[in-house]
Amino acid sequence: MSNIFEGYERQYCELSSNLSRKCTAALSLDGEKKKQKISEVKAGLEDAEALIRKMDLEARNLQPNVKAVLLAKLREYKSDLNNLKTEVKRIGSGNLNSAARDELLEAGMTDALMASGDQRSRLMMATERLNHSSDRIKDSRRTMLETEELGVSILQDLHQQRQSLLHAHNTLHGVDDNIGKSKRVLTAISRRMNRNKWMISAIIAVLVVAIILILYFKLK
């Protein structure tokens, strides 16, 4: 989950609880004090709406699976905010006398405030569950990053092994070239040796014939 969203969410929950307490306090006030308290609540409602808009923008920029969960939470927060607005309208709807105010409080306001408190409690529990889910997502992401790092390390090792094999191949190719050159040199030497051997044999044959002729003419 986005840390920015969590920050806005925390601010909204605190502000919503504070506004609910102010609504309860406004029931026991009259005149200017009541108007001042209602004005404070209305100003707080504007801040709450601004926080909800910020959360909405932040949620829509996240991944689809996370966005769907956060938008569902936002619907709950908007419902909670609408309940607060309804409470403010009922409180500021007229100058109620003490009896009427007590009757209103006993008839519906207490239930509304309790329902709002219960709703906020459910929202906080849902937030905790989502935070746990966020932690699991973070753990999964960390595991994925570790796996990715391991894969990159393996690829680097394979690349180094490939470079080593290419170097070995080039070395063997050079050895083959040297062996080929050595073979050609040995072949040339062998040919020269054979040629020299035939030349020596021819010279020896000529010398033998010359000696035979000399002996023949001397003995004749």
Side-chain angles (χ1 to χ4, degrees):
M1 188 185 298
S2 169
N3 291 330
I4 298 175
F5 185 93
E6 290 179 354
Y8 291 149
E9 184 180 35
R10 193 176 303 109
Q11 294 177 34
Y12 174 81
C13 291
E14 292 175 357
L15 180 58
S16 177
S17 297
N18 187 33
L19 292 176
S20 180
R21 289 192 295 269
K22 287 183 178 181
C23 287
T24 304
L27 287 172
S28 60
L29 299 176
D30 291 316
E32 292 299 324
K33 290 184 178 180
K34 180 177 181 180
K35 291 180 180 180
Q36 182 180 359
K37 185 66 67 174
I38 291 175
S39 297
E40 293 177 1
V41 173
K42 288 181 178 179
L45 290 175
E46 293 179 357
D47 293 338
E49 288 180 341
L51 287 172
I52 285 180
R53 287 195 296 270
K54 291 178 180 179
M55 284 190 287
D56 185 73
L57 290 174
E58 181 65 23
R60 294 183 186 279
N61 291 327
L62 299 177
Q63 297 177 352
N65 55 339
V66 179
K67 179 174 69 175
V69 176
L70 296 185
L71 290 178
K73 291 180 64 176
L74 276 175
R75 286 192 291 271
E76 295 291 334
Y77 291 144
K78 290 176 181 178
S79 176
D80 176 66
L81 184 61
N82 289 330
N83 289 337
L84 285 173
K85 289 180 179 179
T86 301
E87 292 173 15
V88 173
K89 289 180 180 179
R90 293 175 65 182
I91 294 171
S93 60
N95 295 322
L96 302 177
N97 55 35
S98 178
R101 184 166 57 246
D102 293 341
E103 182 180 357
L104 176 63
L105 181 62
E106 293 175 0
M109 190 59 69
T110 301
D111 292 339
L113 293 176
M114 290 179 61
S116 179
D118 292 341
Q119 186 178 34
R120 276 189 288 274
S121 298
R122 290 195 300 271
L123 291 175
M124 292 301 295
M125 292 177 62
T127 300
E128 291 297 326
R129 288 195 295 271
L130 287 173
N131 287 336
H132 290 313
S133 299
S134 176
D135 292 337
R136 288 195 296 271
I137 291 173
K138 289 179 181 178
D139 292 338
S140 299
R141 184 177 181 183
R142 183 168 55 252
T143 302
M144 181 182 67
L145 291 175
E146 292 175 354
T147 304
E148 183 179 357
E149 291 176 356
L150 178 61
V152 170
S153 177
I154 292 174
L155 288 176
Q156 290 177 348
D157 292 339
L158 291 175
H159 178 72
Q160 292 177 356
Q161 293 177 7
R162 181 175 181 273
Q163 294 296 326
S164 299
L165 291 173
L166 289 175
H167 179 70
H169 176 74
N170 293 331
T171 302
L172 290 174
H173 183 70
V175 171
D176 290 339
D177 291 341
N178 292 331
I179 292 174
K181 291 179 181 178
S182 300
K183 185 177 180 180
R184 288 193 294 271
V185 170
L186 291 174
T187 302
I189 292 173
S190 177
R191 289 177 180 174
R192 284 197 294 270
M193 289 177 64
N194 290 331
R195 186 167 56 252
N196 292 335
K197 182 174 69 175
W198 285 107
M199 290 177 64
I200 291 171
S201 298
I203 291 171
I204 292 172
V206 171
L207 290 175
V208 170
V209 172
I211 291 171
I212 292 173
L213 291 174
I214 290 170
L215 292 174
Y216 175 77
F217 285 113
K218 282 186 177 183
L219 294 175
K220 183 176 177 182

